[in-house]
């Protein structure tokens, strides 16, 4: 029970830390298309994604689905790379608060997962040595 509470508190703190960090991010110069050496990478990926979607509808198997998933992931990465991210000016206290809640939450989640395994092992009677 104690590990479940640690896990849930860790989830809440991690989400809170991520939300605090994302509230301090400013996105400017968003363009939908990412260019690399004059080549519009996002447009090429979008065309390949559309063609692969048609192929997946015609031949639905694991290979075409995997290729479609990889193309979608690359498309999302190219959209993110076309954005310019800036962190607004924050104080050291705000930064410590954000980092402590985020990484403290991750630590509590890991602790809850590790200790829940220990509780399951000790609760099943395997670690007591009695038969």
């Amino acid at each position: 029970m104690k590990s479940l509470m640690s896990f849930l508190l860790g989830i809440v703190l991690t989400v809170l830390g991520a939300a605090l960090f994302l509230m301090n991010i400013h996105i400017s110069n968003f363009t939908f298309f990412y260019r690399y050496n004059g080549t519009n990478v996002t447009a090429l990926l979008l065309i390949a994604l559309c063609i692969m979607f048609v192929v997946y509808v015609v031949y639905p198997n694991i290979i075409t689905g995997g290729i479609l998933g990889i193309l979608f992931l690359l498309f999302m990465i190219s959209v993110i790379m076309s954005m310019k991210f800036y962190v607004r000016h924050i104080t050291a206290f705000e930064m410590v608060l954000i980092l402590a809640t985020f990484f403290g939450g991750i630590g509590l989640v890991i602790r809850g997962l590790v200790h829940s395994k220990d509780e399951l092992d000790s609760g099943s009677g395997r670690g007591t040595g009695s038969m």
Side-chain angles (χ1 to χ4, degrees):
M1 184 68 174
K2 193 174 186 181
S3 63
L4 176 64
M5 292 303 291
S6 175
F7 179 77
L8 293 176
L9 180 63
I11 295 274
V12 168
L13 283 175
T14 303
V15 169
L16 181 66
L20 286 171
F21 180 71
L22 290 176
M23 287 186 336
N24 291 308
I25 295 291
H26 176 32
I27 299 173
S28 67
N29 293 339
F30 172 72
T31 58
F32 186 66
F33 297 108
Y34 174 69
R35 293 188 175 273
Y36 180 74
N37 287 338
T39 305
N40 196 340
V41 176
T42 307
L44 293 175
L45 284 170
L46 186 60
I47 291 169
L49 190 64
C50 292
I51 292 170
M52 201 61 212
F53 183 73
V54 171
V55 171
Y56 182 72
V57 169
V58 175
Y59 300 110
N61 59 24
I62 191 88
I63 295 171
T64 55
I67 294 172
L68 184 65
I70 289 170
L71 283 173
F72 181 74
L73 183 66
L74 289 173
F75 177 73
M76 287 289 108
I77 290 171
S78 70
V79 169
I80 291 171
M81 287 180 67
S82 69
M83 296 179 195
K84 302 273 191 272
F85 294 100
Y86 300 101
V87 179
R88 75 171 182 86
H89 180 72
I90 57 177
T91 63
F93 176 73
E94 290 173 322
M95 182 58 94
V96 168
L97 184 68
I98 291 169
L99 293 176
T101 55
F102 185 70
F103 289 110
I106 289 174
L108 284 174
V109 167
I110 293 171
R111 180 177 158 192
L113 290 174
V114 169
H115 286 300
S116 69
K117 184 179 180 226
D118 292 341
E119 286 178 5
L120 289 175
D121 289 343
S122 66
S124 64
R126 284 189 272 171
T128 60
S130 62
M131 292 188 94

